[in-house]
Amino acid sequence: MQACDSSQSPGAASAQDWSQADDDAAVDSPGAEPAVLTARIPLSLAGERLDKVLAQLFGQFSRSRLRAWCEAGLVRMGAAVAAPRSKARAGAEVALQVPVDPEAAAFAPEPVPLSVVWEDADLVVIDKPAGLVVHPAAGNWSGTLLNGLLARFPDASALPRAGIVHRLDKDTSGLMVVARSLQAQTDLVRQLQARSISRQYLALVWGELPRTTWVDAPIGRHPRDRLRMAVVASGKPARTRFESLGSCRGGLGTVSALRCVLESGRTHQIRVHAQHLGLPLLGDALYGRRGAPALGLQRQALHAVLLRLRHPRSGQWMQWRSAVAADIATQWRQLGGDPGVLDCDDWTALPDARPGLP
């Protein structure tokens, strides 16, 4: 890992900024007892919209979630039920009835092994193995990275998503950053939104890329298969840079190793954009090549190699690298690839570029 000097610290962060980046919705759990949280409105927030004030007072919840609870009649200001647009009264007590989320039971500490490559009071960088789910969801309510974070860092329970600011797919390995304070989480979200965090991946794909290519194509839900994402006109903007590191040709066909640089961070972005180029990832059960031969690799060949960001407190540039996962490296060698191609020790952040530029 490397740390570089910084010229300027990023701007101050706020709980409201983070909550606005979180679009979770809440669902009641029948038969569970809701919690009631209370807070008093300070003079500095008097006259503001109540949903904005709630985001300041209860920063562990997203603003969209708090607004939904207001609309459901779960918020009182003084003795009266309050609407999202109600004007906050200085000194008034706000009572928030928090319905029990059906996922809440899943947000429990568990002794999940975590490979921590950096840790301080503001953030932790984890080298995630393939097969580890990042966040509890249907079918994976326990044994997730979030459960492991709660066990190792108990204070993470006070943060949205235990400090997680971006995710890796279950079967993608490599580096990801997690915040350890609300201020750090807000700052890292801002860096992601500003596209100043560098995230670079190694992928093995079927086919050959003749030249370094930018894919600038919007990604949204597949119009017919709701489990998949796709390049669709109505999708969100997404940009990925693909650079060929080398290819090998054998009885199973041509396989290439690609360096993939995310400029945005959409769901399944590299996998979707690679497929869009006609270069599906090896082992990808969702977006892979139809009729592809059986391989020893049991997951998509995608590894998060490099992570570079400004430290949320000091503003110092920091950079970490992760050696390509053993199963991907083994598969590459078995196909006849040069092992030296997967040596990523010289990877660093790239200068800004636009389509058509090297």
Side-chain angles (χ1 to χ4, degrees):
M1 70 191 71
Q2 299 177 340
C4 309
D5 290 339
S6 167
S7 59
Q8 185 176 358
S9 174
S14 71
Q16 184 174 347
D17 291 325
W18 163 248
S19 67
Q20 288 174 334
D22 178 359
D23 294 325
D24 284 350
V27 183
D28 291 338
S29 179
E33 286 295 325
V36 177
L37 304 180
T38 60
R40 199 163 294 280
I41 298 172
L43 179 62
S44 60
L45 297 179
E48 295 287 334
R49 280 176 50 124
L50 186 61
D51 54 354
K52 293 182 179 181
V53 172
L54 292 174
Q56 296 281 348
L57 299 178
F58 305 108
Q60 66 269 45
F61 303 114
S62 70
R63 185 172 168 187
S64 60
R65 176 172 287 192
L66 290 165
R67 187 186 305 113
W69 288 343
C70 267
E71 292 170 348
L74 301 179
V75 177
R76 289 180 175 270
M77 184 166 52
V81 173
R85 294 179 177 273
S86 300
K87 298 298 183 182
R89 300 197 308 272
E93 183 179 78
V94 175
L96 169 65
Q97 182 176 309
V98 182
V100 178
D101 193 317
E103 301 178 9
F107 287 33
E110 293 183 42
V112 177
L114 300 177
S115 177
V116 175
V117 300
W118 175 269
E119 175 186 342
D120 64 19
D122 298 289
L123 55 82
V124 56
V125 176
I126 293 170
D127 199 341
K128 187 187 88 67
L132 178 62
V133 174
V134 170
H135 195 276
N140 294 284
W141 292 116
S142 63
T144 69
L145 185 143
L146 181 144
N147 298 120
L149 288 172
L150 292 174
R152 181 158 180 160
F153 307 107
D155 290 347
S157 62
L159 300 176
R161 296 191 178 105
I164 294 170
V165 296
H166 70 111
R167 307 185 193 186
L168 296 179
D169 295 336
K170 174 183 176 181
D171 289 327
T172 296
S173 52
L175 298 174
M176 58 179 293
V177 63
V178 178
R180 294 194 59 194
S181 70
L182 188 59
Q183 180 180 0
Q185 190 172 29
T186 304
D187 185 82
L188 291 170
V189 168
R190 286 182 174 181
Q191 291 189 54
L192 284 170
Q193 292 170 339
R195 301 178 179 178
S196 61
I197 293 181
S198 180
R199 290 173 291 163
Q200 301 185 27
Y201 296 70
L202 184 286
L204 300 184
V205 301
W206 294 106
E208 193 166 8
L209 184 70
R211 65 186 65 85
T212 297
T213 301
W214 280 95
V215 176
D216 192 342
I219 292 176
R221 191 67 60 182
H222 193 285
R224 292 181 299 279
D225 185 349
R226 305 305 292 172
L227 296 178
R228 302 173 64 194
M229 307 300 287
V231 171
V232 292
S234 60
K236 295 181 179 180
R239 280 169 49 86
T240 313
R241 181 184 189 271
F242 293 95
E243 173 191 349
S244 179
L245 302 173
S247 300
C248 60
R249 297 169 179 81
L252 299 181
T254 299
V255 175
S256 297
L258 303 184
R259 182 180 184 179
C260 313
V261 182
L262 289 179
E263 186 173 290
S264 52
R266 307 303 176 198
T267 301
H268 301 170
Q269 178 171 321
I270 291 174
R271 299 162 67 189
V272 171
H273 276 175
Q275 183 195 49
H276 185 65
L277 283 177
L279 302 170
L281 270 63
L282 271 65
D284 193 336
L286 199 57
Y287 303 99
R289 193 176 90 182
R290 291 185 179 180
L295 300 171
L297 188 66
Q298 298 300 306
R299 49 101 172 197
Q300 67 256 15
L302 188 60
H303 183 83
V305 170
L306 182 140
L307 177 67
R308 183 174 185 264
L309 52 83
R310 279 188 184 272
H311 191 278
R313 183 186 300 269
S314 70
Q316 181 183 40
W317 280 110
M318 305 191 74
Q319 179 171 286
W320 300 268
R321 296 188 193 90
S322 169
V324 175
D327 58 345
I328 293 178
T330 297
Q331 184 65 76
W332 176 250
R333 290 195 303 270
Q334 290 175 346
L335 291 168
D338 176 3
V341 165
L342 305 190
D343 183 356
C344 306
D345 286 348
D346 63 346
W347 284 24
T348 188
L350 300 175
D352 188 29
R354 291 296 177 262
L357 297 179

